[in-house]
Amino acid sequence: MTELQACGIIAEYNPFHRGHAYQLQQARQKSGAACLIVAMSGNYVQRGEPAIVDKWQRARLALAHGADIVVELPFAVSCQPADRFATGALAILAALGCDTLAFGTETPTFDYQDFVQRVWPRSQQQRFAVDYTKTYATQWNELLQQEMGSMVAAPNQLLALSYAIANAQLAQPLTLLPLKRVGVDHDQDSSGHDQHGQAFASASYLRRQLLQGQTAAIGPFVPYDPQVIQGPFLAADQLWPWLHYRLTTTWPQELASIYQMSEGLEYRFWEQNLQSQNWSDFLRRVKSKRYTYARLRRLALYTLLNVTATEIKQALTQQPQLRLLGFTAAGQQYLHQQRSNLAAPLITRVTAAAGAPQGPLGLQIRVDRLYEQLSGREQNFKQQIIIKK
């Protein structure tokens, strides 16, 4: 029996749109892999917000439009800065036996091997991350300019560099397959067309339409009937009452245990909360040159969910979490082939033991409870794996 090859993709699909379907098609075509494995963020995404629709709806759409296996990126990985996000996601794909990592980028001809050889050793020294008046991205660009004579302006390219570094640290690195992004820029709050007249829109644009109740408006930009996705559609602004209550009833000294709460931010959070009117207003008040909005959104989410540094450390020191959300026939065949070779146990159902405070899904179950309250949908114990015939 010929051994099936697998290509991995790291995604959020927030929400799934035509650009994602195109990437899946290109990944299959250019990698030659029989199985496409997507490591997809769960109910919270990297920018520090709840996903607009839950992980099960997004996994179902991915399986219907090209993915063969969808596994969940747990909260301890999905809601992280680029370097830790990449490290955790690559560990999951490597544990599943992926040979290739396909990813979208604005500059697919970039020499990632040269980048890793020349820049990674310097980044390990962390000399670029000592200026507290500059953001992480700014200091990265200064290092790239110094070492390679180029800078990175596009967010997908910056994330791709993190993938390259994380991949280089694996015992058996994957083959990197950069794919040219199509459509509008990442995070651009608009729609547009490619050179062939195909309609594309950014995920930001689609989220805005959904939040404004214009579900039908996303139709030209998604490869499915938009009515199949079900609300309520969630956004960070809806979390403000919970964050405001948490900060109002907690002393700064208690906030110090929250993950990534450092450099006196607990006092800044506590003080500015007293004057803030909503989520966006709060972020504007705590913003400084040192911290990006993405970093502050994540920290606000950690605070709201009471996620401590100890919990994240415990989660990241465990084996890679292989939480299966769904598969196709090809995915099932691949998992059957790899069942004795997986580097960590495959989690196919949520038990009381797995969801206990010290269990492998303890943190995930806890943070998903708020999402369940907001969405009105069970996310773990009563959910069954999606099987696409």
Side-chain angles (χ1 to χ4, degrees):
M1 176 179 171
T2 304
E3 183 172 327
L4 301 178
Q5 302 297 305
C7 174
I9 293 175
I10 302 166
E12 292 184 336
Y13 297 154
N14 186 37
F16 190 91
H17 56 66
R18 182 171 284 120
H20 298 136
Y22 175 82
Q23 184 193 51
L24 286 164
Q25 180 266 325
Q26 289 291 299
R28 189 181 299 279
Q29 176 183 324
K30 295 189 176 183
S31 71
C35 181
L36 292 184
I37 301 178
V38 176
M40 186 192 76
S41 296
N43 288 323
Y44 301 94
V45 296
Q46 192 193 10
R47 60 189 289 121
E49 298 179 349
I52 194 158
V53 293
D54 67 73
K55 57 191 174 187
W56 298 100
Q57 294 192 64
R58 289 179 288 124
R60 193 178 301 278
L61 290 171
L63 291 168
H65 295 91
D68 293 307
I69 295 172
V70 179
V71 294
E72 179 178 11
L73 282 182
F75 180 85
V77 172
S78 69
C79 196
Q80 290 277 15
D83 55 339
R84 297 176 186 180
F85 176 88
T87 298
L90 262 296
I92 288 173
L93 292 177
L96 287 164
C98 289
D99 309 281
T100 304
L101 173 69
F103 54 92
T105 176
E106 294 81 359
T107 54
T109 59
F110 185 86
D111 190 340
Y112 290 95
Q113 187 61 37
D114 181 49
F115 163 75
V116 169
Q117 291 176 346
R118 292 171 58 183
V119 180
W120 182 35
R122 286 291 307 279
S123 71
Q124 291 295 94
Q125 299 172 19
Q126 296 184 340
R127 292 178 182 170
F128 69 103
V130 297
D131 187 342
Y132 293 100
T133 67
K134 300 178 182 178
T135 67
Y136 179 83
T138 297
Q139 293 172 79
W140 251 121
N141 271 312
E142 290 177 351
L143 180 63
L144 289 171
Q145 184 68 39
Q146 177 181 338
E147 296 296 318
M148 302 186 69
S150 62
M151 295 187 71
V152 175
N156 281 281
Q157 177 69 354
L158 188 62
L159 186 56
L161 299 183
S162 296
Y163 290 156
I165 290 177
N167 186 59
Q169 297 176 72
L170 294 173
Q172 293 183 307
L174 283 61
T175 298
L176 297 179
L177 177 59
L179 302 172
K180 175 66 176 177
R181 291 189 76 255
V182 296
V184 298
D185 292 341
H186 173 85
D187 230 17
Q188 181 180 332
D189 197 13
S190 65
S191 60
H193 296 77
D194 67 7
Q195 64 270 31
H196 305 296
Q198 186 78 6
F200 286 93
S202 69
S204 295
Y205 175 83
L206 300 181
R207 289 194 296 272
R208 182 162 64 88
Q209 298 304 311
L210 291 172
L211 290 168
Q212 292 177 349
Q214 304 297 319
T215 302
I218 76 170
F221 312 107
V222 298
Y224 51 85
D225 181 349
Q227 299 303 323
V228 303
I229 56 175
Q230 300 178 2
F233 303 117
L234 304 184
D237 287 346
Q238 299 166 27
L239 303 181
W240 170 245
W242 284 271
L243 177 62
H244 184 55
Y245 171 79
R246 169 99 169 106
L247 290 170
T248 300
T249 59
T250 307
W251 292 112
Q253 295 87 341
E254 297 175 70
L255 296 173
S257 64
I258 297 298
Y259 179 58
Q260 290 199 338
M261 188 71 78
S262 60
E263 301 164 9
L265 278 171
E266 62 268 31
Y267 292 96
R268 191 173 181 87
F269 266 44
W270 188 84
E271 291 169 355
Q272 296 304 318
N273 167 68
L274 300 176
Q275 307 299 323
S276 300
Q277 301 301 311
N278 53 51
W279 183 277
S280 299
D281 181 40
F282 172 73
L283 290 177
R284 284 193 294 269
R285 289 175 181 274
V286 298
K287 182 74 173 72
S288 69
K289 291 183 179 180
R290 169 60 179 161
Y291 301 109
T292 64
Y293 275 114
R295 162 73 188 274
L296 294 171
R297 280 194 299 264
R298 285 192 294 268
L299 184 54
L301 185 60
Y302 302 146
T303 302
L304 164 62
L305 296 171
N306 194 27
V307 176
T308 67
T310 300
E311 284 181 299
I312 294 293
K313 181 179 180 180
Q314 176 187 331
L316 294 180
T317 53
Q318 294 174 343
Q319 291 179 304
Q321 190 180 109
L322 308 184
R323 170 80 183 281
L324 184 62
L325 298 181
F327 55 78
T328 64
Q332 185 176 31
Q333 183 181 359
Y334 177 82
L335 291 173
H336 179 75
Q337 169 192 286
Q338 293 289 324
R339 65 187 185 279
S340 60
N341 299 323
L342 297 177
L346 192 65
I347 302 174
T348 57
R349 66 188 183 96
V350 180
T351 63
Q358 300 303 316
L361 295 178
L363 176 61
Q364 192 65 51
I365 299 300
R366 186 167 73 74
V367 299
D368 272 352
R369 287 191 186 122
L370 176 62
Y371 199 95
E372 289 172 342
Q373 291 182 38
L374 294 171
S375 67
R377 292 187 176 86
E378 167 66 42
Q379 294 299 303
N380 293 293
F381 288 102
K382 297 180 182 179
Q383 284 285 356
Q384 294 184 340
I385 292 173
I386 301 165
I387 302 176
K388 181 180 179 295
K389 302 295 186 182

